[in-house]
């Protein structure tokens, strides 16, 4: 068999996660908005320390804009991550 006739096996590229410019932000609130072309994730922090407040102010800190395909992949990854978390630490009830 010649080199030209050998089946070419697809290879998965090695991913190099470069976190040198990454920042970390805490969020305890998330909201999702969407249009036909994009899904937006809004992250922020609830500043109400008293549960009897009539108004809750949420300071938004980050907006992540995804195309629908990336949003669907994120959904699958979050679902898998939460299943693993609940298997280890117990079910999360909302």
């Amino acid at each position: 068999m010649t080199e030209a006739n050998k089946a070419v096996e697809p290879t998965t590229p090695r991913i190099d996660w470069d976190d040198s410019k990454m920042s970390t932000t805490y969020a305890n609130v998330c909201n999702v908005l969407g249009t036909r072309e994009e899904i937006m994730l809004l992250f922020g922090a609830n500043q109400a320390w008293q549960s009897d407040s009539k108004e809750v102010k949420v300071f938004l800190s980050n907006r992540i804009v995804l195309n629908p395909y990336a949003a669907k992949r994120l959904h699958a990854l979050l679902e898998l991550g939460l299943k693993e978390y609940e298997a280890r630490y117990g079910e999360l009830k909302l």
Side-chain angles (χ1 to χ4, degrees), residues 1-89:
M1 181 183 291
T2 66
E3 289 293 318
N5 292 339
K6 286 185 180 177
V8 177
E9 293 185 31
T11 60
T12 303
R14 184 181 154 285
I15 298 175
D16 181 18
W17 299 98
D18 180 0
D19 62 357
S20 62
K21 295 183 181 178
M22 183 174 66
S23 64
T24 300
T25 305
Y26 174 78
N28 60 12
V29 175
C30 180
N31 197 10
V32 178
L33 303 171
T35 67
R36 180 171 163 73
E37 290 83 24
E38 61 193 21
I39 304 292
M40 288 173 277
L41 304 174
L42 306 176
F43 294 95
N46 174 357
Q47 299 297 312
W49 301 111
Q50 299 170 353
S51 61
D52 61 346
S53 298
K54 296 206 185 285
E55 182 176 309
V56 175
K57 187 166 203 142
V58 176
F59 292 98
L60 295 176
S61 57
N62 299 90
R63 176 178 45 222
I64 308 291
V65 181
L66 305 166
N67 67 44
Y69 294 99
K72 184 89 176 198
R73 289 189 298 271
L74 176 61
H75 174 267
L77 289 169
L78 286 171
E79 190 171 53
L80 178 64
L82 286 168
K83 282 182 183 177
E84 289 178 7
Y85 179 93
E86 289 182 325
R88 185 174 296 141
Y89 301 110

